[in-house]
Amino acid sequence: DTAVSQTPKYLVTQMGNDKSIKCEQNLGHDTMYWYKQDSKKFLKIMFSYNNKELIINETVPNRFSPKSPDKAHLNLHINSLELGDSAVYFCASSQDLGPGGNTQYFGPGTRLTVL
Amino acid sequence: EDQVTQSPEALRLQEGESSSLNCSYTVSGLRGLFWYRQDPGKGPEFLFTLYSAGEEKEKERLKATLTKKESFLHITAPKPEDSATYLCAASGGSYIPTFGRGTSLIVHP
Protein backbone atom coordinates (compact mmCIF):
# COMPACT_ATOMS: atom_id res chain seq x y z
CA ASP A 1 0.00 0.00 0.00
CA THR A 2 1.36 3.38 -1.00
CA ALA A 3 1.35 5.72 1.99
CA VAL A 4 1.80 9.07 0.19
CA SER A 5 1.17 9.14 -3.54
CA GLN A 6 1.56 11.90 -6.12
CA THR A 7 0.48 12.28 -9.71
CA PRO A 8 1.90 12.78 -12.19
CA LYS A 9 5.46 11.56 -11.64
CA TYR A 10 6.76 13.60 -14.57
CA LEU A 11 5.33 16.82 -15.97
CA VAL A 12 6.79 18.56 -19.02
CA THR A 13 5.12 21.76 -20.12
CA GLN A 14 5.64 25.10 -21.85
CA MET A 15 6.21 28.43 -20.16
CA GLY A 16 2.98 30.23 -19.42
CA ASN A 17 0.86 27.12 -19.00
CA ASP A 18 -1.15 26.21 -15.91
CA LYS A 19 -0.69 22.79 -14.31
CA SER A 20 -1.72 20.84 -11.22
CA ILE A 21 -0.06 18.16 -9.11
CA LYS A 22 -2.17 15.89 -6.92
CA CYS A 23 -1.25 14.31 -3.60
CA GLU A 24 -3.05 11.75 -1.48
CA GLN A 25 -2.09 10.08 1.81
CA ASN A 26 -3.73 6.99 3.32
CA LEU A 27 -1.99 7.23 6.70
CA GLY A 28 -4.82 9.03 8.46
CA HIS A 29 -2.56 12.01 9.09
CA ASP A 30 -3.85 15.49 9.91
CA THR A 31 -1.01 17.53 8.40
CA MET A 32 0.23 17.71 4.81
CA TYR A 33 3.02 19.65 3.14
CA TRP A 34 4.46 20.68 -0.20
CA TYR A 35 8.22 20.94 -0.65
CA LYS A 36 10.33 22.06 -3.60
CA GLN A 37 13.68 20.34 -4.17
CA ASP A 38 16.10 22.22 -6.38
CA SER A 39 18.87 20.82 -8.56
CA LYS A 40 21.23 20.81 -5.57
CA LYS A 41 18.84 18.57 -3.61
CA PHE A 42 17.82 21.29 -1.13
CA LEU A 43 14.32 20.69 0.24
CA LYS A 44 12.44 23.93 0.89
CA ILE A 45 9.00 24.03 2.44
CA MET A 46 6.32 25.79 0.45
CA PHE A 47 3.03 25.14 2.24
CA SER A 48 1.59 23.22 5.15
CA TYR A 49 -2.03 22.34 5.84
CA ASN A 50 -3.37 21.06 9.15
CA ASN A 51 -6.90 19.64 9.11
CA LYS A 52 -7.53 21.33 5.75
CA GLU A 53 -6.42 24.71 7.10
CA LEU A 54 -3.41 26.55 5.67
CA ILE A 55 -0.87 27.11 8.46
CA ILE A 56 2.39 27.70 6.64
CA ASN A 57 2.78 29.75 3.49
CA GLU A 58 6.44 30.47 2.89
CA THR A 59 7.67 33.10 0.46
CA VAL A 60 6.22 31.49 -2.62
CA PRO A 61 4.89 33.37 -5.67
CA ASN A 62 1.12 33.65 -5.62
CA ARG A 63 1.10 31.73 -8.91
CA PHE A 64 1.28 28.69 -6.62
CA SER A 65 -2.01 27.83 -4.94
CA PRO A 66 -2.54 24.81 -2.72
CA LYS A 67 -5.97 23.28 -2.25
CA SER A 68 -7.01 20.73 0.36
CA PRO A 69 -10.46 19.26 -0.38
CA ASP A 70 -10.14 16.93 2.63
CA LYS A 71 -7.50 15.80 5.15
CA ALA A 72 -6.22 13.06 2.83
CA HIS A 73 -5.59 15.27 -0.19
CA LEU A 74 -3.44 18.31 -0.87
CA ASN A 75 -3.16 19.49 -4.46
CA LEU A 76 -0.85 22.12 -5.90
CA HIS A 77 -1.93 24.34 -8.76
CA ILE A 78 0.62 26.47 -10.60
CA ASN A 79 -0.38 29.31 -12.92
CA SER A 80 1.72 30.90 -15.63
CA LEU A 81 4.62 28.51 -15.30
CA GLU A 82 8.14 29.95 -15.52
CA LEU A 83 11.50 28.35 -16.31
CA GLY A 84 12.56 28.75 -12.67
CA ASP A 85 9.68 26.56 -11.54
CA SER A 86 11.48 23.51 -12.91
CA ALA A 87 12.26 21.30 -9.92
CA VAL A 88 11.07 18.20 -8.11
CA TYR A 89 8.01 18.80 -5.95
CA PHE A 90 7.39 16.54 -2.96
CA CYS A 91 4.26 16.08 -0.97
CA ALA A 92 4.58 14.89 2.63
CA SER A 93 2.34 14.18 5.58
CA SER A 94 2.72 13.90 9.34
CA GLN A 95 0.40 12.69 12.07
CA ASP A 96 -0.02 16.23 13.34
CA LEU A 97 2.10 19.18 14.38
CA GLY A 98 2.33 18.27 18.03
CA PRO A 99 5.06 16.66 20.12
CA GLY A 100 6.03 13.28 18.77
CA GLY A 101 3.73 13.62 15.80
CA ASN A 102 5.67 15.74 13.37
CA THR A 103 7.72 13.03 11.65
CA GLN A 104 7.10 13.49 7.94
CA TYR A 105 6.51 10.81 5.33
CA PHE A 106 7.19 11.76 1.74
CA GLY A 107 5.68 10.93 -1.61
CA PRO A 108 7.74 9.84 -4.62
CA GLY A 109 7.96 13.33 -6.08
CA THR A 110 6.84 15.05 -9.28
CA ARG A 111 9.58 16.20 -11.62
CA LEU A 112 8.38 19.38 -13.32
CA THR A 113 10.21 20.61 -16.42
CA VAL A 114 9.23 23.95 -17.91
CA LEU A 115 10.44 24.53 -21.47
CA GLU B 1 15.87 31.47 12.03
CA ASP B 2 16.33 27.71 12.22
CA GLN B 3 19.47 26.42 10.51
CA VAL B 4 20.72 22.94 9.69
CA THR B 5 24.19 22.27 8.28
CA GLN B 6 25.37 18.86 7.14
CA SER B 7 28.93 17.71 6.56
CA PRO B 8 30.61 16.45 4.56
CA GLU B 9 28.73 17.25 1.36
CA ALA B 10 30.02 14.03 -0.19
CA LEU B 11 31.64 10.93 1.25
CA ARG B 12 33.20 7.97 -0.50
CA LEU B 13 33.82 4.79 1.51
CA GLN B 14 35.06 1.34 0.79
CA GLU B 15 32.71 -1.47 1.72
CA GLY B 16 33.20 -2.22 5.40
CA GLU B 17 34.79 1.15 6.18
CA SER B 18 32.78 2.69 9.03
CA SER B 19 32.25 6.45 9.23
CA SER B 20 29.97 9.20 10.55
CA LEU B 21 27.87 11.95 8.99
CA ASN B 22 27.41 15.20 10.90
CA CYS B 23 24.36 17.42 11.26
CA SER B 24 24.73 20.70 13.16
CA TYR B 25 21.53 22.50 14.03
CA THR B 26 20.42 25.84 15.45
CA VAL B 27 16.76 25.87 16.44
CA SER B 28 14.96 27.45 19.33
CA GLY B 29 13.48 24.67 21.41
CA LEU B 30 14.17 21.44 19.54
CA ARG B 31 10.97 19.56 18.75
CA GLY B 32 12.59 16.81 16.72
CA LEU B 33 15.76 15.90 14.80
CA PHE B 34 15.07 13.74 11.76
CA TRP B 35 17.22 11.61 9.47
CA TYR B 36 16.09 10.54 6.02
CA ARG B 37 17.62 8.53 3.21
CA GLN B 38 16.99 9.60 -0.38
CA ASP B 39 17.76 7.43 -3.38
CA PRO B 40 18.01 9.01 -6.87
CA GLY B 41 14.60 9.72 -8.35
CA LYS B 42 12.74 8.88 -5.13
CA GLY B 43 11.28 10.68 -2.17
CA PRO B 44 13.06 10.90 1.20
CA GLU B 45 12.58 7.73 3.25
CA PHE B 46 12.24 8.18 7.00
CA LEU B 47 14.99 6.66 9.14
CA PHE B 48 14.97 8.14 12.66
CA THR B 49 13.50 10.82 14.89
CA LEU B 50 15.41 11.97 17.98
CA TYR B 51 13.95 14.31 20.56
CA SER B 52 16.43 14.93 23.35
CA ALA B 53 20.19 15.11 23.89
CA GLY B 54 21.66 11.73 24.71
CA GLU B 55 19.05 9.83 22.75
CA GLU B 56 20.25 7.12 20.35
CA LYS B 57 18.44 4.98 17.79
CA GLU B 58 19.65 2.10 15.65
CA LYS B 59 18.53 0.33 12.52
CA GLU B 60 20.68 -2.32 10.91
CA ARG B 61 24.05 -0.68 10.15
CA LEU B 62 22.86 2.83 11.05
CA LYS B 63 22.94 4.53 14.43
CA ALA B 64 21.79 8.09 15.08
CA THR B 65 22.90 10.08 18.12
CA LEU B 66 21.95 13.53 19.38
CA THR B 67 23.64 16.25 21.43
CA LYS B 68 22.41 19.77 22.17
CA LYS B 69 24.08 21.14 19.05
CA GLU B 70 24.51 18.28 16.60
CA SER B 71 23.50 14.82 15.50
CA PHE B 72 25.60 12.07 14.03
CA LEU B 73 24.61 9.25 11.74
CA HIS B 74 27.09 6.46 12.26
CA ILE B 75 27.38 3.86 9.52
CA THR B 76 29.03 0.62 10.59
CA ALA B 77 30.57 -1.68 7.97
CA PRO B 78 28.63 -0.09 5.10
CA LYS B 79 27.58 -2.00 2.00
CA PRO B 80 27.14 -0.66 -1.54
CA GLU B 81 23.36 -0.64 -1.02
CA ASP B 82 23.84 2.02 1.66
CA SER B 83 24.82 4.46 -1.09
CA ALA B 84 22.31 7.33 -1.06
CA THR B 85 21.91 10.93 0.01
CA TYR B 86 21.28 11.27 3.74
CA LEU B 87 19.20 14.25 4.81
CA CYS B 88 18.96 15.74 8.27
CA ALA B 89 16.16 18.04 9.44
CA ALA B 90 15.36 19.81 12.69
CA SER B 91 12.16 21.37 13.93
CA GLY B 92 11.77 24.04 16.58
CA GLY B 93 8.79 25.84 18.01
CA SER B 94 6.77 25.72 14.80
CA TYR B 95 7.22 21.93 14.51
CA ILE B 96 7.95 22.43 10.79
CA PRO B 97 11.31 20.79 9.94
CA THR B 98 14.14 22.73 8.32
CA PHE B 99 16.29 20.52 6.11
CA GLY B 100 20.03 20.47 5.57
CA ARG B 101 21.53 20.09 2.10
CA GLY B 102 22.38 16.43 2.61
CA THR B 103 25.44 14.19 2.48
CA SER B 104 25.89 12.13 -0.66
CA LEU B 105 27.35 8.76 0.34
CA ILE B 106 28.93 6.34 -2.12
CA VAL B 107 30.10 2.95 -0.88
CA HIS B 108 32.44 1.13 -3.24
CA PRO B 109 32.50 -2.69 -3.30
Side-chain angles (χ1 to χ4, degrees):
Chain A
D1 278 350
T2 304
V4 182
S5 59
Q6 296 178 229
T7 54
K9 186 163 174 64
Y10 299 96
L11 189 51
V12 181
T13 188
Q14 299 286 333
M15 265 190 348
N17 284 350
D18 303 337
K19 290 292 178 185
S20 292
I21 307 172
K22 295 186 176 181
C23 177
E24 176 180 0
Q25 54 95 2
N26 62 6
L27 298 168
H29 288 170
D30 285 346
T31 310
M32 296 185 72
Y33 312 79
W34 277 110
Y35 280 87
K36 179 179 180 180
Q37 189 173 48
D38 60 24
S39 56
K40 295 188 177 181
K41 303 291 187 184
F42 182 52
L43 270 170
K44 186 172 169 61
I45 185 129
M46 300 173 69
F47 302 103
S48 177
Y49 269 72
N50 189 55
N51 277 316
K52 299 197 302 174
E53 183 180 339
L54 179 65
I55 55 168
I56 292 284
N57 183 356
E58 292 295 308
T59 308
V60 175
N62 57 16
R63 298 181 294 104
F64 291 78
S65 53
K67 280 192 172 59
S68 182
D70 54 57
K71 280 194 335 182
H73 296 84
L74 180 62
N75 303 322
L76 183 65
H77 188 75
I78 316 170
N79 289 328
S80 304
L81 278 155
E82 300 178 356
L83 293 176
D85 298 332
S86 295
V88 182
Y89 292 84
F90 287 102
C91 177
S93 73
S94 65
Q95 183 179 323
D96 51 45
L97 275 180
N102 59 333
T103 296
Q104 295 174 323
Y105 297 87
F106 284 80
T110 296
R111 180 174 292 277
L112 171 64
T113 304
V114 183
L115 304 175
Chain B
E1 184 182 336
D2 296 345
Q3 288 192 336
V4 175
T5 304
Q6 292 187 246
S7 61
E9 282 188 26
L11 182 62
R12 291 178 180 267
L13 299 173
Q14 287 297 127
E15 185 172 1
E17 180 187 1
S18 301
S19 188
S20 297
L21 281 53
N22 176 265
C23 171
S24 298
Y25 64 91
T26 305
V27 301
S28 51
L30 184 70
R31 298 290 191 265
L33 188 292
F34 311 91
W35 282 99
Y36 290 85
R37 169 194 171 125
Q38 186 173 23
D39 292 296
K42 296 194 175 179
E45 175 190 343
F46 170 70
L47 293 173
F48 305 108
T49 303
L50 303 168
Y51 291 104
S52 55
E55 191 175 357
E56 299 182 352
K57 288 191 176 173
E58 283 188 73
K59 180 181 178 181
E60 296 179 353
R61 294 178 293 282
L62 301 177
K63 179 179 175 180
T65 62
L66 181 65
T67 73
K68 288 187 177 180
K69 293 184 178 180
E70 55 193 351
S71 177
F72 292 93
L73 185 66
H74 307 277
I75 305 177
T76 302
K79 298 182 177 181
E81 53 262 41
D82 294 323
S83 298
T85 295
Y86 290 86
L87 298 169
C88 172
S91 65
S94 72
Y95 290 96
I96 303 291
T98 296
F99 278 82
R101 293 185 175 271
T103 293
S104 175
L105 173 66
I106 296 176
V107 182
H108 296 285

